Amino acid sequence: MPGVASGGVPVDLTFEGPFGRERAFPTGRTSEAVQAGGRTGEATIVSAGAPALLLDAAGLGLTGAEGIAELTERVPMLTPFRAEGAVLHGIIAPGEPAPNAVPKTGVVGPARDYVASDGTAVAAGEYDVSVRMLSMHAPHPAIGLTSAVAVAVAAATPGTVVSRYLPADSRTVRIGTASGVVEASWTTAPDGTVEAVSLHRAARRLATAVLHVPTAGAAGQPEAPAEGAQHRPAAAPLAVPA
């Protein structure tokens, strides 16, 4: 999995909707002009998995395929857009301080050749859309799970800053992140509403623990210690794989 050095067992995760337009696009528009910090950018305000603000990279002088160091330099420029996105999502009122975590904020651009964080060359033909997300005032090393859900719903909806880079009949999106390519797929209802988004993650054993559980007496209560003896309930070891 891009961004994770060790391997693991494949796990499919599905986020169920429905992600209809009224619910997924709180402003009622699939893209719009957003003004922040003296700049204007085209953005998609989408709420699926998590509230997100997806900005068209070209309008901000970016490509969407920047490296971590280069994107770090642009964080001060992108931060006011996150604050404005919080207002558009209805998370805060105008003038209130914006939370640090939401909305998830990222820049989106066309696929192009780039070099991932581990030095691997990624060709434009290996993915569909470049996405660089921010997390807590810093570039995300890849893309968060809930952010990927938001990108997938935007990819499935005509008129967004993501869908313009995909064929109209797409059912998957390959997201080029700073660490490599992450793929998401979706299912739709007959009316085109996104019903569910599925992604791939990995699970592996982190630790093996032993939990000591006191034994109970015949009446279902812990056995009483003998008179004058220190109370040390017997313990039955129980192995619990984590």
Side-chain angles (χ1 to χ4, degrees), residues 34 36 42-46 50-56 60 62 71 74-87 89 91 98-108 130-144 146-148 150-151 161:
V34 176
E42 184 185 4
T44 290
I45 311 296
V46 56
L53 170 76
L54 304 176
L55 291 156
D56 179 68
L60 299 175
L62 301 172
L71 192 62
R74 304 301 183 100
V75 169
M77 181 265 287
L78 295 171
T79 298
F81 282 100
R82 180 180 55 79
E84 184 62 25
V87 175
H89 270 286
I91 298 172
N100 293 329
V102 291
K104 307 299 183 184
T105 303
V107 293
V108 179
S130 300
V131 178
R132 296 294 184 268
M133 300 297 300
L134 302 183
S135 178
M136 302 297 290
H137 298 288
H140 194 289
I143 186 170
T146 53
S147 296
V151 171
V161 299

Side-chain angles (χ1 to χ4, degrees), residues 115-126:
V115 177
S117 300
D118 64 356
T120 302
V122 181
E126 297 179 34

